[in-house]
């Protein structure tokens, strides 16, 4: 008999939680899904025996000290497609078929391996510096001044970063930077 997969859903949104619980129970039997409406409730009632944690980006950022060491076990619900994530992401606007496919891929890989770029070797050190300043909310002009480079160089770095990572939004870049340890949640305004 197959052991039930233990999954914790840590979401304040009850509708997403019910939908995920239903989807997981219907298509990934056997599973035991526990729902926590807040991270504080999870700390009171939960334990660290779950195979996977499903949460949203806000909860991940606010509680990154817990989730970062478990990023291979954490599935983050996002509102956009992230093509080079450095983590497990599920777009909440996906079709049911896409959701099922994404969960199958995550569960097939398991918790021992996570698809991340090899220490982000695709990004140069200067691109990492620019990325850190972008997600901290600096304007292109501020980045140029802080790094003593031209505005055109900042724009080139931004273009290279989005091209290499396949992430075009600030929120996507922020998730990427946090998941890969470039910044901590304390470094950004939420």
């Amino acid at each position: 008999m197959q052991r039930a997969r233990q999954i914790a859903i840590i979401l304040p949104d009850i509708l997403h939680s019910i939908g995920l619980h239903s989807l997981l129970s219907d298509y990934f039997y056997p599973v035991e899904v526990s729902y926590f409406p807040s991270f504080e409730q999870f700390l009171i009632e939960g334990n660290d025996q779950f195979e996977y944690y499903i949460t949203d980006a806000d909860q991940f950022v606010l509680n990154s000290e817990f989730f970062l060491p478990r990023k291979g076990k954490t599935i983050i619900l996002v509102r956009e497609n992230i093509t080079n994530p450095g983590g497990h992401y599920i777009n909440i606007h996906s079709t049911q078929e896409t959701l099922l496919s994404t969960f199958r891929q995550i569960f097939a890989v398991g918790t021992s391996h996570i698809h991340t770029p090899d220490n982000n070797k695709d990004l140069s050190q200067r691109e990492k510096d620019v990325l850190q300043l972008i997600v901290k909310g600096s304007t292109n002009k501020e980045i140029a001044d802080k790094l003593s480079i031209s505005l055109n160089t900042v724009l080139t770095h931004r273009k290279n970063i989005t091209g290499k990572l396949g992430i075009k939004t600030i929120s996507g870049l922020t998730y990427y930077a946090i998941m890969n340890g470039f910044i901590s949640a304390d470094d950004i305004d939420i």
Side-chain angles (χ1 to χ4, degrees), residues 131 134-135 161-162 165 167 169-178:
L131 175 61
I134 290 169
V135 300
I161 291 167
T162 59
L165 300 179
I167 303 171
T169 65
I170 299 297
S171 60
L173 292 172
T174 302
Y175 304 144
Y176 178 85
I178 291 171

Side-chain angles (χ1 to χ4, degrees), residues 110-139:
T111 60
S112 61
H113 182 273
I114 188 165
H115 297 290
T116 58
D118 298 330
N119 293 333
N120 305 294
K121 70 179 181 181
D122 290 341
L123 294 182
S124 69
Q125 184 57 49
R126 185 57 90 179
E127 289 167 341
K128 292 175 188 176
D129 295 339
V130 170
L131 175 61
Q132 288 172 332
L133 292 170
I134 290 169
V135 300
K136 289 180 183 178
S138 298
T139 65

Side-chain angles (χ1 to χ4, degrees), residues 140-153:
N140 290 337
K141 172 92 171 86
E142 291 169 339
I143 294 170
D145 292 344
K146 288 178 184 175
L147 298 178
S148 300
I149 57 178
S150 74
L151 188 57
N152 284 338
T153 302

Side-chain angles (χ1 to χ4, degrees), residues 1-47:
M1 184 169 172
Q2 188 178 9
R3 185 181 69 79
R5 186 176 282 129
Q6 303 287 319
I7 300 173
I9 298 175
I10 308 168
L11 289 173
D13 185 330
I14 189 73
L15 289 176
H16 282 131
S17 300
I18 291 170
L20 285 167
H21 187 281
S22 176
L23 188 81
L24 293 166
S25 298
D26 290 350
Y27 292 94
F28 297 98
Y29 180 85
V31 294
E32 288 184 25
V33 180
S34 300
Y35 167 66
F36 305 96
S38 69
F39 188 75
E40 292 74 23
Q41 193 69 33
F42 167 75
L43 291 177
I44 293 168
E45 297 178 22
N47 58 43

Side-chain angles (χ1 to χ4, degrees), residues 78-130:
V78 295
R79 290 175 162 63
E80 62 187 83
N81 287 323
I82 298 179
T83 58
N84 191 357
H88 300 304
Y89 293 88
I90 293 185
N91 183 334
I92 62 170
H93 301 294
S94 298
T95 64
Q96 180 174 333
E97 293 78 27
T98 301
L99 290 171
L100 292 172
S101 174
T102 304
F103 273 117
R104 282 188 197 103
Q105 290 172 358
I106 292 170
F107 295 157
V109 170
T111 60
S112 61
H113 182 273
I114 188 165
H115 297 290
T116 58
D118 298 330
N119 293 333
N120 305 294
K121 70 179 181 181
D122 290 341
L123 294 182
S124 69
Q125 184 57 49
R126 185 57 90 179
E127 289 167 341
K128 292 175 188 176
D129 295 339
V130 170

